[in-house]
Amino acid sequence: MSETIKLHCEIPDELTGMRLDQALAQLFPDYSRGQLTKWIKAGEVMVDNTQRRPRDKVHSGEQIQIRATLQVQDDHWQAEALHLDIVYEDEEVLILNKPAGMVVHPGAGNHQGTLVNALLNHAPSLIHIPRAGIVHRIDKQTTGLLMVAKTLRAHNSLIGQLQERTVLREYQAVVGGVLTAGGTVDAPLGRHHIDRKRMAVTDSGKPAVTYYRVIERFRAHTHIRCKLETGRTHQIRVHMAHIRHPLVGDPVYGGRMHGKGLSEACREAVTGFRRQALHAGVLGFEHPASGELVSWEVPIPDDMQQLIHALQTDMTITESS
């Protein structure tokens, strides 16, 4: 689905001598510089009725005419009356606490019941925002905070902050093995060379950095907090498996959790945990309208709380025996 964009302006004195793409980014802040550059290259931007290159200089008084096509949400994305756990909402942004089991975007085999379907029902105007306003995602079985842009200005701002790595994203996880201290995993990630649905540490991958620190140690597991510098697909899951501390319950990267040496109740809690024990608990960024630094925090969900309680109880049994 597409929408025709019609824009017009005159180059002001203060932008004389600036590159065309840079000038347009200042004149039309609702659109990213990358999007504007694509329009220039496609011949959809006219300067005094002539086509220019992105690097061409502009001059005071020149008339800018933009008639371009903006791709918006897919025609097959339908609104559905599904429950949303809304943490915060204003005219620019919406912050959600996603439950386990909910897919973010519709795709093959998941055309309904996704977060996008629910968002389009809650805020129909998101049909006019690329990808229905979702600028980042978390895995189907990961819980926690997601930010949604409700305007093109917010979309441009949040995408830019993600690219500049200034968005605060902190996760909590339960991993196998006992970590003695926090640390950093700096290892590039890319598609697995055989299984293209999986990610892997590979020299040809994109840079990926995860910081982690210990919250609590148990007999054979550790409760940790992770902070992302980058936001690659499955980043925490792959990075922790890479250092041989996979997430409890991870069906792809975790391997089988035997629960050896644990009490029976604790072993059942660990082996019976059917999703990766990962929760996006903290999210923060610069508000697109006010410029104020804003942040939110939501507690870990009940299933992770029960898992951690079982591990704590196991430690108590061990220490008293």
Side-chain angles (χ1 to χ4, degrees):
M1 183 175 177
S2 62
E3 178 180 347
T4 299
I5 302 297
K6 297 179 182 180
L7 303 168
H8 171 265
C9 74
E10 180 178 299
I11 298 295
D13 293 342
E14 62 268 22
L15 298 187
T16 292
M18 185 174 288
R19 286 173 55 116
L20 175 58
D21 55 355
Q22 294 174 335
L24 294 186
Q26 291 199 27
L27 292 168
F28 303 108
D30 282 356
Y31 304 94
S32 69
R33 182 173 169 184
Q35 179 66 75
L36 292 163
T37 299
K38 289 180 182 178
W39 289 344
I40 296 170
K41 291 180 177 178
E44 297 176 316
V45 177
M46 305 297 287
V47 182
D48 282 350
N49 295 318
T50 61
Q51 293 184 17
R52 302 281 180 86
R53 297 168 298 181
R55 67 172 181 269
D56 288 342
K57 304 295 191 232
V58 297
H59 302 282
S60 174
E62 288 181 324
Q63 300 296 311
I64 304 293
Q65 293 277 357
I66 299 177
R67 183 182 176 88
T69 299
L70 180 67
Q71 295 298 321
V72 292
Q73 70 122 118
D74 190 289
D75 289 327
H76 296 97
W77 293 1
Q78 302 296 326
E80 285 186 75
L82 305 172
H83 173 71
L84 288 173
D85 184 357
I86 298 174
V87 177
Y88 174 82
E89 183 176 14
D90 60 26
E91 293 182 354
E92 298 284 337
V93 297
L94 189 153
I95 308 300
L96 300 165
N97 184 13
K98 189 188 83 67
M102 176 174 268
V103 175
V104 174
H105 282 105
N110 291 294
H111 296 295
Q112 297 178 327
T114 73
L115 188 60
V116 163
N117 299 122
L119 283 170
L120 292 175
N121 178 75
H122 174 76
S125 62
L126 288 173
I127 194 173
H128 301 293
I129 309 298
R131 304 187 71 80
I134 294 178
V135 295
H136 68 131
R137 67 175 69 193
I138 55 180
D139 298 334
K140 176 181 178 181
Q141 297 298 348
T142 298
T143 59
L145 293 168
L146 274 173
M147 56 186 176
V148 178
K150 295 179 64 179
T151 66
L152 288 172
R153 173 174 66 174
H155 188 271
N156 184 24
S157 173
L158 296 178
I159 288 289
Q161 292 182 59
L162 285 166
Q163 292 173 343
E164 294 168 7
R165 302 180 183 180
T166 58
V167 175
L168 171 63
R169 286 174 292 174
E170 289 188 359
Y171 292 70
Q172 290 190 50
V174 180
V175 301
V178 180
L179 286 161
T180 57
T184 302
V185 184
D186 185 349
L189 297 179
R191 292 289 173 186
H192 192 280
H193 69 288
I194 296 176
D195 185 351
R196 305 303 290 177
K197 294 182 180 180
R198 297 180 58 181
M199 304 299 290
V201 171
T202 171
D203 291 338
S204 61
K206 295 180 179 180
V209 180
T210 303
Y211 305 101
Y212 64 91
R213 63 182 179 88
V214 174
I215 297 176
E216 188 174 6
R217 299 179 188 86
F218 308 109
R219 194 136 58 106
H221 300 83
T222 310
H223 180 195
I224 62 172
R225 188 182 305 275
C226 297
K227 184 177 179 180
L228 295 181
E229 179 176 307
T230 54
R232 309 302 179 198
T233 301
H234 299 175
Q235 179 171 319
I236 293 174
R237 298 166 63 188
V238 178
H239 271 175
M240 297 314 297
H242 178 65
I243 63 170
R244 295 182 174 82
H245 290 281
L247 272 61
V248 169
D250 193 327
V252 179
Y253 307 104
R256 187 175 179 184
M257 294 283 178
H258 295 283
K260 184 178 180 180
L262 303 176
S263 66
E264 182 177 351
C266 186
R267 182 169 60 252
E268 290 179 357
V270 171
T271 59
F273 202 83
R274 299 302 184 185
R275 69 175 183 91
Q276 61 265 13
L278 183 62
H279 174 66
V282 178
L283 176 66
F285 52 83
E286 182 180 291
H287 194 281
S290 68
E292 178 187 1
L293 292 176
V294 290
S295 64
W296 296 267
E297 183 171 2
V298 290
I300 57 177
D302 289 344
D303 61 347
M304 279 187 66
Q305 290 183 16
Q306 292 167 8
L307 173 65
I308 291 169
H309 178 71
L311 293 167
Q312 292 170 332
T313 301
D314 181 71
M315 284 285 289
T316 303
I317 293 173
T318 303
E319 291 170 357
S320 62
S321 60

